[in-house]
Amino acid sequence: MSFGEGGPFGPGGSGPSSTPDWAALAEQSEARGKRRRWLLIGGGAVATLAVAGIVATAVIAGNDNGKPSSLPSPEKLPDEPDDPKPTFSDVTVPPPPDPMDYITDSKKDTAPLTAASLFPDKQLKAGERVYPKATTSSTDSCASVAQGGLGAVLKKHGCEKLLRATFSKDGVAVTVGIARFDTKAAAAAVKEEYKPNLAALAGGKVAPFCQGTDCRTSANSAGRYAYFTIAGYLNGKPVVTSETKALQASRDGAAYAWNRVMQRGRDQADAAAKKQLQN
């Protein structure tokens, strides 16, 4: 074995060979570079967050006076208006006038009272029965158109006017009489004290009837009016209990008289109602 210059360990060497491991060194160097870059990046991020935090704190917690300031409160919107509510007038509509008041109270019953106004129809209708009108009359002397005891009763209770109309059909005639008094009580008393009878009214195509013979009669009242009927045969035949034609004519006449008195009340009540509306 020869020992040349430097020996086996290189110049001045006295041990194993010390040649560097270049691959390991390269890996270590690369690792150190990566770690440094992460530190730089991380530090920048921390710095950035720190700056942002300072700015936010300045906005929220500081003002010109160094006092904390609050964020502006949300804008207050006006309240929604209430839904419109209906309004009601205090004006009350009076009830319509009562027709009965106008045939009961002499202060209200002021319309003209004539045969034409009280008996305006050319015929008396009762269902299918039709009685043509023959004639009419009016008088302030009530007792003068009464027979028997009726005249005294009319006079006693102060009859103001008595109006008559005669209707006929199939040989039977009926006279309707309507008498006016000052009060309802007087008219009711005449009804209660009634004694036959109203004088039958002849005229037109109707010859005198119910003279000296039996006839159907009736009496009633409505308001301050009393009304009467007398019905019989035109040929003078007496009315007997079993007959029906004169009885029906008397009833139809009484119903017509009641309707005419009530119509007088309705006409005056309607006129009063229209006057109220105009005012």
Side-chain angles (χ1 to χ4, degrees), residues 11-222:
S14 60
S17 175
S18 59
T19 303
D21 187 344
W22 297 112
L25 291 173
E27 289 179 359
Q28 293 175 359
S29 175
E30 183 177 356
R32 286 193 298 269
K34 287 182 179 181
R35 185 166 56 253
R36 184 178 181 185
R37 285 195 302 273
W38 277 112
L39 289 173
L40 289 174
I41 293 172
V46 170
T48 301
L49 291 174
V51 171
I54 293 170
V55 173
T57 301
V59 171
I60 294 173
N63 56 24
D64 294 340
N65 298 325
K67 297 180 180 180
S69 61
S70 60
L71 292 175
S73 59
E75 181 180 359
K76 185 177 181 181
L77 298 177
D79 295 334
E80 293 185 3
D82 295 335
D83 292 336
K85 297 179 180 179
T87 58
F88 300 94
S89 173
D90 292 334
V91 177
T92 57
V93 178
D98 185 354
M100 185 59 73
D101 290 344
Y102 288 84
I103 59 171
T104 301
D105 188 348
S106 61
K107 294 181 180 179
K108 292 184 177 181
D109 186 19
T110 58
L113 181 62
T114 65
S117 65
L118 196 58
F119 306 116
D121 307 307
K122 293 182 178 181
Q123 54 193 13
L124 184 163
K125 293 183 179 180
E128 297 180 355
R129 296 179 299 279
V130 177
Y131 303 78
K133 183 171 66 178
T135 187
T136 64
S137 74
S138 174
T139 181
D140 296 337
S141 178
C142 303
S144 67
V145 293
Q147 301 177 137
L150 181 58
V153 174
L154 296 175
K155 186 175 181 180
K156 173 184 175 182
H157 294 287
C159 179
E160 299 175 347
K161 181 177 285 191
L162 200 157
L163 305 96
R164 293 180 296 167
T166 294
F167 305 87
S168 67
K169 172 183 179 295
D170 299 336
V172 174
V174 56
T175 294
V176 175
I178 299 177
R180 186 179 69 185
F181 299 83
D182 185 55
T183 65
K184 177 180 178 180
V190 170
K191 170 191 171 182
E192 295 300 326
E193 299 173 21
Y194 169 76
K195 295 178 181 180
N197 53 271
L198 178 72
L201 175 65
K205 297 181 179 181
V206 175
F209 65 103
C210 291
Q211 293 183 344
T213 185
D214 292 335
C215 288
R216 290 282 186 179
T217 67
S218 69
N220 211 328
S221 66

